[in-house]
C-alpha cells in the first residue's frame, strides 16, 4: 500500500491505530507527504463545513468534488459517517483542517485552522467548546486538561467553558491572556490587527498581558470583567464598556451583529475573515458609524450588498482579493 492510499484510509477510518501513528510520524518528517495529507484533509473538511438544514444541495456538490480525490469505495463509508453526524444536529461545523507537529521541545500540538469565509466548531477534552471565526488558528497542546487548560488563539473565537475552579481555562493571544473558570466569552485577537477585544456573556474573566510576548501596557494590571461587559485595547490601555454581543444569533446561525461600529472597522473584519483588500476612494466614509448584521460564511459580494442597505456606498469587485469602495 502506497502512502497516498494510506492517507485515504486514514480519513475513512480504515487504518489500525498503530498504522495511523506510523503514518502521522511519516507526515511530520516529509514535506511532500504532508502536502498530500493536508490536500486530502482539506477536501474532507470542506465537505463538512457549515452544514445547515436546507444545505443538502451544497453538501452533495461538495461530496461530488471530493469523489475526484478519493477512491469510490472510501467515499461510501465517509458518506455514512457524515450522515451520522448530520442526524445528530442540523448545524454542524467540524474542525476545518487539522495539522499535527512537534516543535523542538518535543511537546505535541494540534493546530486547527478555519479557512477564509468559514467558521468552525471545536470541542475540547474538558467539555468546553468554541466557535472560531474565518482565518482563525487555534493551537492545542496534547497536555491540555492535564496540568492546565491553555489554548493559543490567533484570530477570533467564542468560547463556552466548562467549570473547573482547579484548572482555569486560558486563551493566550499574541499580546494578552483571557482567564476563565466557567463562562462564555468572545475574544478578537488577530495577530495581523492592532485591535484586541473581549466580550463577556456569562460569568467572569480576567484579561492580562501575555508576559511571554514582551508587550508593555500602561500599569500592566489585569482587568476583570463581569457579564455584559467588554474590554478593548485603546492606545496603550485596556478600556471597559458595555458589550452588545448577540451571542444567540452568532452561535445558531453564524450571524455577526455590529452596532454603531465605524464603517472602516467593519471592513477590517471582512479583510481578516476573507483575505481581501479594500481600496477606499473616499476615506471620510471610514469613520461613519453603521449598525447591521452579516453572516460570516456568505459570499463577499452578498455581504457588501447587504451593507449597502444600512449605509450608502458603491463597490467594485476587481478580483477575489481586491475590491474598491466609493
Amino acid at each position: 500500500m502506497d502512502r497516498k492510499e494510506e492517507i485515504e484510509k486514514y480519513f475513512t477510518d480504515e487504518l489500525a491505530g498503530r498504522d495511523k501513528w506510523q503514518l502521522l510520524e511519516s507526515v511530520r518528517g516529509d514535506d511532500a507527504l504532508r502536502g498530500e495529507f493536508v490536500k486530502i484533509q482539506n477536501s474532507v473538511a470542506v465537505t463538512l463545513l457549515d452544514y445547515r438544514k436546507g444545505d443538502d444541495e451544497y453538501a452533495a456538490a461538495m461530496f461530488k468534488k471530493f469523489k475526484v480525490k478519493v477512491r469510490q469505495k472510501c467515499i461510501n463509508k465517509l458518506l455514512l459517517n457524515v450522515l451520522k453526524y448530520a442526524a445528530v444536529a442540523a448545524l454542524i461545523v467540524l474542525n476545518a483542517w487539522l495539522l499535527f507537529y512537534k516543535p523542538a521541545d518535543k511537546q505535541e500540538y494540534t493546530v486547527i485552522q478555519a479557512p477564509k469565509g468559514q467558521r468552525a466548531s471545536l470541542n475540547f477534552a474538558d467539555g468546553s467548546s468554541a466557535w472560531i471565526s474565518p482565518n482563525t488558528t487555534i493551537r492545542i497542546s496534547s497536555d491540555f486538561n492535564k496540568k492546565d487548560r491553555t489554548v493559543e488563539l490567533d484570530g477570533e473565537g467564542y468560547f463556552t467553558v466548562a467549570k473547573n475552579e482547579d484548572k482555569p481555562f486560558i486563551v493566550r493571544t499574541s499580546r494578552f491572556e483571557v482567564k476563565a473558570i466557567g463562562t462564555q466569552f468572545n475574544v478578537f485577537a488577530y495577530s495581523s490587527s492592532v485591535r484586541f477585544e473581549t466580550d463577556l456573556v456569562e460569568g467572569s474573566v480576567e484579561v492580562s498581558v501575555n508576559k511571554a510576548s514582551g508587550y508593555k501596557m500602561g500599569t500592566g494590571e489585569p482587568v476583570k470583567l463581569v457579564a455584559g461587559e467588554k474590554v478593548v485595547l485603546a492606545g496603550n490601555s485596556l478600556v471597559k464598556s458595555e458589550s452588545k454581543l448577540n451571542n444567540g444569533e452568532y452561535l445558531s446561525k453564524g450571524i455577526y451583529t455590529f452596532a454603531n461600529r465605524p464603517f472602516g472597522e467593519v471592513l477590517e473584519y471582512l479583510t481578516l475573515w476573507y483575505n481581501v483588500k479594500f481600496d477606499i476612494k473616499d476615506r471620510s466614509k471610514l469613520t461613519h458609524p453603521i449598525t447591521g448584521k452579516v453572516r460570516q460564511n456568505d459570499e463577499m459580494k452578498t455581504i457588501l450588498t447587504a451593507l449597502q442597505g444600512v449605509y450608502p456606498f458603491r463597490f467594485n469587485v476587481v478580483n477575489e482579493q481586491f475590491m474598491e469602495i466609493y
Side-chain angles (χ1 to χ4, degrees):
M1 185 191 311
D2 62 24
R3 286 302 194 191
K4 183 175 180 181
E5 187 176 359
E6 282 188 306
I7 294 173
E8 293 168 352
K9 286 182 175 291
Y10 174 86
F11 284 109
T12 53
D13 201 28
E14 294 181 272
L15 278 186
R18 181 176 179 81
D19 292 334
K20 288 181 180 179
W21 176 254
Q22 290 177 341
L23 174 63
L24 292 176
E25 285 294 305
S26 298
V27 167
R28 290 188 186 102
D30 186 324
D31 289 342
L33 188 62
R34 184 161 57 250
E36 185 65 32
F37 184 92
V38 171
K39 183 172 67 174
I40 294 177
Q41 183 174 241
N42 289 356
S43 298
V44 175
V46 166
T47 69
L48 299 176
L49 284 171
D50 203 26
Y51 187 95
R52 302 190 304 274
K53 186 178 293 185
D55 278 349
D56 302 296
E57 183 178 341
Y58 173 78
M62 291 298 98
F63 275 113
K64 184 176 181 180
K65 182 177 180 180
F66 182 55
K67 286 179 182 180
V68 176
K69 301 178 182 295
V70 185
R71 296 169 296 118
Q72 181 64 48
K73 69 177 183 180
C74 294
I75 289 296
N76 294 332
K77 184 170 183 178
L78 179 63
L79 180 57
L80 289 174
N81 287 337
V82 173
L83 291 177
K84 178 180 67 177
Y85 282 121
V88 176
L91 173 59
I92 293 182
V93 183
L94 293 180
N95 282 8
W97 9 115
L98 308 177
L99 306 177
F100 304 89
Y101 69 97
K102 282 185 179 179
D105 63 4
K106 304 301 181 183
Q107 176 64 59
E108 211 171 53
Y109 291 86
T110 298
V111 175
I112 303 172
Q113 298 174 323
K116 67 178 182 179
Q118 294 287 349
R119 63 184 189 138
S121 174
L122 318 176
N123 290 305
F124 300 101
D126 67 327
S128 299
S129 61
W131 282 97
I132 59 174
S133 294
N135 272 342
T136 291
T137 299
I138 278 190
R139 192 171 86 143
I140 307 166
S141 166
S142 60
D143 286 338
F144 177 85
N145 204 34
K146 293 180 181 178
K147 295 181 179 179
D148 58 34
R149 298 190 292 167
T150 299
V151 300
E152 298 174 22
L153 175 74
D154 184 350
E156 183 177 26
Y158 184 97
F159 296 86
T160 300
V161 175
K163 189 171 183 178
N164 186 335
E165 295 183 1
D166 297 325
K167 297 178 184 176
F169 191 102
I170 299 173
V171 179
R172 182 171 293 149
T173 73
S174 60
R175 291 173 292 176
F176 297 95
E177 293 183 352
V178 182
K179 182 169 70 175
I181 292 175
T183 183
Q184 292 187 42
F185 60 96
N186 192 79
V187 180
F188 180 97
Y190 286 88
S191 59
S192 57
S193 172
V194 297
R195 290 183 54 232
F196 171 83
E197 188 172 309
T198 295
D199 289 79
L200 181 61
V201 177
E202 293 181 5
S204 63
V205 298
E206 181 180 278
V207 182
S208 59
V209 172
N210 175 3
K211 294 179 181 179
S213 70
Y215 181 73
K216 304 296 183 183
M217 181 202 69
T219 62
E221 292 296 319
V223 175
K224 294 184 178 180
L225 300 179
V226 297
E229 290 185 330
K230 69 184 291 185
V231 66
V232 299
L233 179 64
N236 198 35
S237 301
L238 290 173
V239 178
K240 290 201 297 184
S241 62
E242 180 186 0
S243 172
K244 292 182 172 61
L245 179 67
N246 187 332
N247 64 306
E249 279 198 313
Y250 178 75
L251 290 175
S252 63
K253 301 177 182 179
I255 295 176
Y256 196 94
T257 302
F258 49 91
N260 292 316
R261 296 268 189 168
F263 182 54
E265 192 174 296
V266 175
L267 292 181
E268 183 185 4
Y269 271 96
L270 300 182
T271 295
L272 294 168
W273 289 345
Y274 290 87
N275 275 347
V276 297
K277 292 184 178 179
F278 294 102
D279 180 12
I280 314 299
K281 300 300 184 181
D282 181 1
R283 302 195 68 81
S284 66
K285 291 182 178 294
L286 294 178
T287 57
H288 188 90
I290 63 174
T291 297
K293 301 178 180 181
V294 298
R295 189 190 297 273
Q296 282 188 326
N297 66 339
D298 277 346
E299 296 290 332
M300 177 59 66
K301 188 175 180 180
T302 301
I303 291 176
L304 291 177
T305 300
L307 290 178
Q308 286 179 318
V310 297
Y311 181 54
F313 70 94
R314 293 180 296 117
F315 67 90
N316 175 47
V317 180
V318 179
N319 55 51
E320 271 190 8
Q321 296 173 322
F322 187 76
M323 303 182 183
E324 297 171 329
I325 302 291
Y326 301 92

